[in-house]
Amino acid sequence: EVQLVESGGGLVQPGGSLRLSCTASGLSLGVSWMTWVRQVPGKGLEWVANMNQDGSEKFHVDSVEGRFTISRDNRKNSLYLQMNGLRSQDTAIYYCATEGTNDYGVHWGQGALVIVSS
Amino acid sequence: ETVMTQSPATLSVSPGGRVTLSCRASQSVGNKLAWYQQNPGQAPRLLIYDASTRATGIPARFSGSGSGTEFTLTITSLQSGDFAVYVCQQYDIWPPTFGQGTKVDIK
């Protein structure tokens, strides 16, 4: 069974940093593009960033560009999202997902809640 | 960015019934359109990609159609687990963007 598990969420003050992790079991992340998608509770989904199989290509949406960085360690079968300069607007559930043949999510984790508040 | 608009916001249907959900893109996205099902407190579940291809394990009761700017998701013989929020997503134009969702609830 394919399972993705996010960790590292929590409460952080504005301007602070967090690092989310996503660890996979039942599949090798190294064969897939990977993505982070976030969702404000009760609201819509927002694509955050994605990365190719070997990490040589990475893309971040404008709202997080320069503050968030996606990375991966295929040896550890893990994906990461380093979040710096956090803002209240970044409060959301962050999901990691494997991508299919294009930029859509196939397997999803259960999500990690990030709350940015003083 | 490409705005995805779903309609209606809520749809009430009886178990065993049929629903057709709409998704419109603000510009053409070809057939680069996915549909997800999301239950409360859960992650999205991929149903359809490339506008009409069912994901692995998705029953034939779910079907997608459309291209360009107009897309539909049809669900027949609604079962209890189908009462959820359905979200469309385009992935033709960066950044990928999602609709706000249509909630299908029990009539």
Side-chain angles (χ1 to χ4, degrees):
Chain A
E1 179 190 4
V2 174
Q3 193 171 18
L4 300 176
V5 178
E6 299 94 339
S7 59
L11 175 63
V12 60
Q13 292 189 337
S17 298
L18 276 178
R19 187 195 195 206
L20 300 182
S21 299
C22 169
T23 302
S25 59
L27 83 163
S28 172
L29 293 190
V31 302
S32 300
W33 277 74
M34 295 294 297
T35 185
W36 288 99
V37 172
R38 67 185 179 183
Q39 184 173 36
V40 174
K43 302 295 184 182
L45 296 157
E46 180 186 21
W47 196 272
V48 175
N50 64 345
M51 169 177 276
N52 71 342
Q53 290 88 339
D54 65 5
S56 61
E57 296 182 58
K58 60 180 75 173
F59 303 92
H60 302 79
V61 296
D62 287 348
S63 59
V64 307
E65 184 72 58
R67 300 187 300 122
F68 291 11
T69 303
I70 189 172
S71 64
R72 67 195 297 163
D73 186 339
N74 291 337
R75 296 168 301 171
K76 295 183 179 180
N77 221 24
S78 294
L79 178 75
Y80 306 100
L81 186 67
Q82 178 65 45
M83 303 185 292
N84 300 329
L86 281 160
R87 306 166 180 167
S88 58
Q89 310 94 297
D90 297 318
T91 293
I93 300 167
Y94 286 74
Y95 297 102
C96 66
T98 63
E99 294 192 18
T101 53
N102 215 310
D103 291 341
Y104 56 86
V106 178
H107 301 292
W108 295 68
Q110 86 290 349
L113 178 61
V114 172
I115 300 174
V116 184
S117 176
S118 55
Chain B
E1 79 180 24
T2 305
V3 177
M4 307 300 292
T5 303
Q6 293 187 240
S7 61
T10 304
L11 204 51
S12 297
V13 189
S14 300
R18 170 193 175 113
V19 292
T20 299
L21 312 181
S22 295
C23 175
R24 174 176 294 176
S26 60
Q27 57 188 307
S28 176
V29 297
N31 73 332
K32 304 304 182 190
L33 192 285
W35 288 95
Y36 302 89
Q37 178 192 70
Q38 189 172 27
N39 284 293
Q42 296 187 18
R45 171 195 180 198
L46 179 67
L47 299 174
I48 301 283
Y49 63 94
D50 291 347
S52 60
T53 303
R54 278 188 298 278
T56 302
I58 302 304
R61 303 185 293 104
F62 294 86
S63 62
S65 64
S67 66
T69 62
E70 301 284 342
F71 300 87
T72 60
L73 173 69
T74 299
I75 313 170
T76 60
S77 303
L78 273 142
Q79 301 178 3
S80 58
D82 300 337
F83 293 96
V85 175
Y86 292 86
V87 180
C88 64
Q89 178 222 331
Q90 69 80 22
Y91 47 92
D92 185 56
I93 301 165
W94 181 266
T97 48
F98 297 86
Q100 79 281 14
T102 291
K103 181 179 181 181
V104 176
D105 64 18
I106 300 175
K107 188 173 184 179

